[in-house]
Amino acid sequence: MRDMGRFLQNFGEKTVKMIYFDKNRNTFYLEGKSFSYVFSVEEGYLHARHFGGRVGRDGLTWLNGAPAMAFSAMPPAGEGSTSLDVMPQEYASFGQGDYRTPSVLLEREDGQTASRFFYLSHEVGCTSDFGALPHARGGQTLKVTLKDVLSDVELDLFYTVWEDCDVLTRHAVIRNTGSEPVTICRAYSFCLDLPADRYETLCLHGHHCGERSPERTPLSHGTFRIESARGASSHQMNPFLALLRAGCGEETGECYGVELVYSGSFVLSAERSQTEGVRVQGGINALNFCWSLAAGEDFVTPEAALCYSKEGLGGLSRSLADFLRLHVISPKWAFAPRPVVLNSWEAVYFDFDEAKLLSLIDGAARTGADTFVLDDGWFGCRGDDTTSLGDWRVNLSKLKGGIAPLAARCRKHNMKFGLWFEPEMVSEKSELYRAHPDWAIGAPPRCACRNQYVLDFSRPEVVEYVYGQLAEILKTGDVAYVKWDMNRHLTEFWSKGLPAGRQGELAHRHILGVYTLARRLTEDFPEVLFEGCSGGGGRFDAGMLYYFPQIWTSDNTDAYARAKIQYGTSFAYPMSAMSCHISASPNHQTGRSTPFSSRAHIASLGATGFELNPAALSEEELEMAREHVRTYREMQPLVLQGDLYRLASPFEGDFAVLLLSKDKREGYLVGMCGLVEAGAYDRRLRLAGLREDFVYEIPALGIVARGDTLLHAGVLLPRLPDFGTFAWRIHGK
Ligand code: DGJ
C-alpha cells in the first residue's frame, strides 16, 4: 500500500451538525432535511455508499460488492484490492481500469493522461471562491482534497448541505501544484454512482417557442446523455436530469434530480454499466473544451445540485423549488412581490415613436400593470432586427426626448419603467462593430443568426465596454427593470484574445464574462430587477436565476402552449421564476384564439404581466385585465412561497396544478381542458398535498369537504369550451 500515513494525516474528529466524519470507519455522512449521503475512504479511494433516505451512521461496509469482474484491471500492487471498474466512486479518474466515463481527464506535458486520485485531507465548514460563477448561498460545506499520485495535481471535492432542503450541491476544484502546465480536457462538477436498479430518465427537451417538454424513457445499457454545445444552456435541452427508480410516479416513489448551476455548454449523462449500477455525472461539456492550467493555478467547475425525493417527481420539484428560492435566487427578490409588467414587444414590435409609447403607457395604466417595459427597438438606429445591437444609446429619431419622458409618464401613473437590452450581442451594422470588428467571436466570414454576432465576453475589455454603456443608462435612475435578452448561440468558437492552443477555453470564459457583467450590474444597481431572457426560455437555468430572479419563459405566449411549457418548466424551477404574460388573441405565434380568462389563468402561474396593446382591448376585457391583476396580487404569495402539485398533465390531456401554502391552508387550483369532445365522460380530478384532517372549502364549487375526501375521491372537472380554464381558491382549516 502506498504511504497511506501521508494521505490520512489530516483525518480529524470533527463533527458538525449536518456533516459527520466517522474516523474509525473513514466514512463521511452528509445529512440534509431528510436524506443521507454517505461515502468512505477505502485504501485511499473515495467509495460512494449511499444517497437516499436518511440512514444511521453505520458504515455500510457490508454493501461492498465483489472486488472485481472478469477483465477488471486491479490497482498497482499495494494500492488497493478493489478494481475501479466496479467500485462506486465519488469522482472517476481516467486510465485506472474504470472504463465508465471519467469525471476528469488531464493531459500532462509529456502526453500522459492517466490519473489516480487518493485521499489527502478534508475540512468541514469551509467556503469556496467561485468568482463570478453562480452558486448556492450558505449551507455547511465539506471539502475533501485528493492528490493525483501520478502528477502534481490536487483535486478538491466540495459538498454543501442545508438543514432546510433536500438538496446537496457539489463542485470540484482542480489545482496544479507542479511547475509545468497541465491541460484539463474534461472536468465535470460531480459523479454520482447509484446502485443497480431499473431506472428511467426524465429530461426537459424542446425548441424555440416550445421549451422544456418532459420526456421519460427507460434507461438502457450504455450512456444516455443530454447536452448543449451552443454556448448557452439552450431551448433544446435543459441542464436538468432526473433518474426515477422503479415505480416512481408524480407523488410516490423515489427519484433523483440533478440541476447545473450553469448557463453555458453542458452535459449530463446517465451510464448504465455491466454492474447494472448507474453513473450520473456532468458539468461543462467536454466537446471543444480544454483548459490550460498553469503552475499554481486552479480551475473551479460549476456547481451541481443533487436532489433526492421519496415523494415522486412532485416532491423532487418542490425540493428544487425550495432550494432555488432559499439558496440560489437573490434573497432580495426571491420572495418579494414581482412587478406586474406590460411589455411593448407584442404590442408594437419595432414600430413605435414617442407618442405611440406614451399612449401605450397610458393604456398599460388602465390594465392595472405597475411597470411598463420598453422592449427591442429603442437604441442606435434600430427599426428592425438588422442593426444597432451594441449601440446602447437612445434612437433619437424615434424617441426625440430620450427615455426621460417615458419614465416621467410612468411616474405620473405611479408605474415604473423598464428597458430591454441584449448586452452580449453586436450587429454587423453598428458603430460598435465598425470600431471593433474583432470583438465578435470568430473571424469573418462568420455565421450570422438574426443578423447578429456574439460579442467575445472572454475579453475583459469587451465586458468593461458593455458595462459602461449599460451603467450610463441605469445611472439616470429612470430604469427600474431590465429585460436581458440573448438571441443567438455561439459559432466558430474562436477568440482573437486567446492564443492558438487555448481556444478550447473560449466558451467557458465567455459565460464567465456574462456572469461578470451580470454580477457588476446587479451589485451596482441593486434596486433594478433584472429579468433573464434568451429568445424566451433559451437560458432558463439555475445559473441565470442566481442573478435574475425571473426569466421570460417562452416567446410562445399562447395559453394552451404555455400550459405545457410552464408545466414542463415546473419539474425543475419554481413558478415565481417564470415570467408569464397575457397576450392578444388570436395568438401571434400559433394563431389560436383562446378566451381572455384562459390567458389570465395560465399567466397567473408565475410573474404575471401583459404582452399586448391595451388599445385593442374592449372595455369588458380591460375590466377583466384589472380583475386579473387584483386577483393575482391576492394569490401572489402562493406563487412566491407556496408548493406546487401537478395534478394533470397537459401532455396527456387536461392540465391542472394546485398551488398550496406551506401551512396547507390556502390553495389556488388552476386547470385547462384541451379540445372539447362530444359525449365526453365526466372526469375526476384528485387533489394532492392537502392535509387529510383539514376541512377545505372550494367556494367556486360550493364544496366543503375533508382533505382526505378531496385527495382520494376528488372533484369533477368542469365541462368547458375549447381551451377553457378554471381557477378556484381553496381554504382549509
Ligand atoms: C426575443 C424575446 O424573447 C422577445 O420577448 C423580444 O424581447 C424579442 N427578442 C425582441 O427582439
Side-chain angles (χ1 to χ4, degrees), residues 208 343 345-346 350 375-377 382 385 420 422 450 483 485-487 533-537 552 554-555 611:
H208 177 239
N343 180 293
W345 182 240
E346 290 195 23
F350 291 110
D375 208 281
D376 199 349
R382 188 137 161 123
D385 65 10
W420 177 97
E422 198 174 355
R450 209 192 187 204
K483 179 176 171 187
D485 205 348
M486 189 275 197
N487 284 301
C533 176
S534 173
W552 181 229
S554 178
D555 272 352
E611 194 85 11

Side-chain angles (χ1 to χ4, degrees), residues 14 16 19 122-128 139-143 159:
K14 199 162 178 180
V16 175
I19 300 175
H122 74 267
E123 190 186 339
V124 176
C126 51
T127 53
S128 180
Q140 189 80 56
T141 298
L142 164 70
K143 175 173 79 173
Y159 301 78

Side-chain angles (χ1 to χ4, degrees), residues 253-313:
E254 287 182 291
C255 56
Y256 301 91
V258 182
E259 187 160 314
L260 296 175
V261 189
Y262 190 56
S263 316
S265 297
F266 76 91
V267 65
L268 284 170
S269 63
E271 181 176 6
R272 183 170 162 198
S273 73
Q274 59 174 347
T275 65
E276 301 296 332
V278 172
R279 171 165 294 174
V280 187
Q281 57 182 349
I284 297 172
N285 197 331
L287 177 71
N288 193 36
F289 168 81
C290 71
W291 192 278
S292 177
L293 196 65
E297 281 183 352
D298 56 23
F299 179 82
V300 183
T301 72
E303 202 168 30
L306 278 55
C307 183
Y308 164 75
S309 162
K310 53 178 183 294
E311 288 169 8
L313 287 161

Side-chain angles (χ1 to χ4, degrees), residues 692-705:
E692 301 205 335
D693 57 338
F694 274 12
V695 173
Y696 288 92
E697 186 189 1
I698 310 179
L701 300 183
I703 291 178
V704 177

Side-chain angles (χ1 to χ4, degrees), residues 722-733:
D722 286 354
F723 313 114
T725 51
F726 57 90
W728 303 325
R729 299 297 299 264
I730 298 185
H731 314 285
K733 54 183 181 212

Side-chain angles (χ1 to χ4, degrees), residues 382-393:
R382 188 137 161 123
D384 56 31
D385 65 10
T386 60
T387 74
S388 303
L389 294 171
D391 299 342
W392 301 109
R393 286 178 299 278

